[in-house]
Amino acid sequence: MTRILMTVLLLLLPVGAAAQAVVVRSGAHEGFTRLVLDMPRRVDWRLEPRDGGASISFAGPPLSLDLASVFERISRDRLRAASVVDGRLALEFACACETRAFWHGARMLVVDIVPKPRPEPETMARPKPRPLVLPGGIVPRSPARM
């Protein structure tokens, strides 16, 4: 009985370890750069924006993030660097960018890196024209009103 239990336990150990490996893929699109994390299952995550980058942390046991192929399909014009810091995915931007993240399907976490929208230039508000007031407080009528 002990032998069977040990055999089953040894067979399940590699499955548990392999289930936590997460490959991070990338792709360049017009207007944004996309990262896709092939997760073993949906887990709670938190996106933390910061100056010049962002980080994504995950609930539960630490994930093994495989970043080996992140820059195979993208340039470094939006994403300068990607690393794992204390179990979090740390992203360093090469532009004034922000991230948008969402689940796609049962287990793909998608992270888009997009340029921040440029603020609208401030236009000077034109002052309202003042009505013409003659001496004595007389306001002439406009011929258009007649």
Side-chain angles (χ1 to χ4, degrees), residues 26-29 32-35 69-82 92-95 97 113:
S26 63
H29 299 273
F32 65 97
T33 297
R34 176 163 284 175
L35 301 178
S69 62
V70 167
F71 290 101
E72 286 181 3
R73 295 185 179 155
I74 62 172
S75 67
R76 294 180 187 253
D77 61 342
R78 289 190 189 99
L79 181 63
R80 176 179 300 137
E92 298 294 327
F93 299 151
C95 63
C97 291
I113 302 167

Side-chain angles (χ1 to χ4, degrees), residues 1-16:
M1 180 69 165
T2 307
R3 185 181 227 165
I4 294 172
L5 184 60
M6 270 306 231
T7 303
V8 169
L9 183 62
L10 288 174
L11 289 173
L12 291 177
L13 280 177
V15 172

